Amino acid sequence: MDILIRNESVKDYRQVEELTREAFWNLYVPGCDEHYLAHLMRSHPDFLPQLDFVAIKDDQIVGNIMYAKSRLINEEKSEIAALTFGPVSILPELQKKGIGSALIRHSIEAAVALGYEVIVIEGHPNNYCKHGFVGSKSVAVSDADGKYPYSLLVLELVKGCLHPHTWKFYPSDVYKVDEKGCQAFEKLFPAKEKGYRPSQEEFKIASQAFLG
């Protein structure tokens, strides 16, 4: 698909939030909070505007990816330059047409150019292993509790940078979205019906699964 990828600008903010709301509505839970997360990220100290990209088709924003700094700390208490992306938002009618993959590839190249060494995300392996992500256990990256969630995925931008250490992952606290704040933010948008989709149960199962 013929798209243009560029950095998000201030004038894009509302359109990106609307896009994100449409992309995630009822996907993982009834309603969503990803549009509120996008709103919060821009003013957070961990946010990286140089890795905030939109995809343009026919002069319309059809996709977006946002990044925040995260922390990987090893058994020697050393840290490594780590990133986390999300949300990745694509208009529902244009999903599965390569726009999300293009945004991920473009932003990975930009992250490498900026000197970052590793990206750690929480997501479905089916969506991200094709971009080189591996299960966190295979590179000795656990969550803060020392567990290995099924959904915790890692991409070494510098191959071998995590070896031979063991690491714990600490995402930015921007991802701890306040429910009351989201409810207040939601009132700024046209009413939209919350409902159940099978993807919500799939998400629940995957998010509660850990590797032994």
Side-chain angles (χ1 to χ4, degrees):
M1 181 175 291
D2 187 20
I3 58 171
L4 168 70
I5 296 177
R6 62 163 173 78
N7 285 110
E8 183 191 41
S9 65
V10 174
K11 64 181 176 59
D12 300 325
Y13 286 2
R14 177 67 181 192
Q15 190 174 346
V16 166
E17 290 160 8
E18 292 172 348
L19 157 72
T20 303
R21 185 172 181 252
E22 290 299 316
F24 286 95
W25 194 260
N26 291 336
L27 181 61
Y28 297 137
V29 296
C32 72
D33 62 12
E34 283 81 2
H35 56 315
Y36 182 49
L37 171 60
H39 177 74
L40 294 176
M41 285 183 75
R42 302 186 189 102
S43 59
H44 194 279
D46 290 335
F47 175 60
L48 291 161
Q50 59 269 56
L51 294 176
D52 175 17
F53 295 103
V54 293
I56 311 294
K57 177 177 171 53
D58 299 329
D59 298 320
Q60 178 188 10
I61 295 176
V62 296
N64 170 246
I65 190 169
M66 305 177 81
Y67 278 74
K69 296 177 184 178
S70 51
R71 302 169 67 206
L72 279 177
I73 301 177
N74 68 19
E75 75 285 355
E76 298 175 349
K77 307 303 181 185
S78 296
E79 294 192 27
I80 197 168
L83 299 170
T84 298
F85 64 66
V88 182
S89 309
I90 310 298
L91 277 180
E93 61 267 30
L94 293 177
Q95 291 175 6
K96 302 187 184 302
K97 296 183 182 296
I99 297 173
S101 291
L103 283 167
I104 291 169
R105 289 193 301 267
H106 183 90
S107 63
I108 287 173
E109 291 174 3
V112 170
L114 289 171
Y116 287 95
E117 298 178 73
V118 61
I119 299 173
V120 186
I121 62 170
E122 295 181 63
H124 199 295
N126 185 58
N127 295 331
Y128 299 106
C129 290
K130 61 187 175 184
H131 296 293
F133 284 85
V134 298
S136 65
K137 191 172 185 179
S138 67
V139 284
V141 174
S142 72
D143 65 14
D145 296 323
K147 297 180 180 180
Y148 297 96
Y150 169 78
S151 58
L152 191 62
L153 307 173
V154 179
L155 175 65
E156 289 182 322
L157 302 178
V158 178
K159 296 301 180 184
C161 67
L162 299 175
H163 184 76
H165 300 285
T166 58
W167 303 85
K168 289 188 175 181
F169 171 59
Y170 299 88
S172 170
D173 62 10
V174 72
Y175 289 105
K176 297 177 182 178
V177 176
D178 174 65
E179 184 176 349
K180 289 184 178 179
C182 183
Q183 290 173 353
F185 186 66
E186 178 61 28
K187 293 178 181 178
L188 303 176
F189 295 80
K192 195 171 178 68
E193 184 177 357
K194 295 182 179 181
Y196 172 79
R197 289 168 60 179
S199 57
Q200 295 172 16
E201 186 63 26
E202 180 183 359
F203 171 74
K204 182 179 179 181
I205 294 169
S207 64
Q208 294 177 351
F210 294 87
L211 303 180

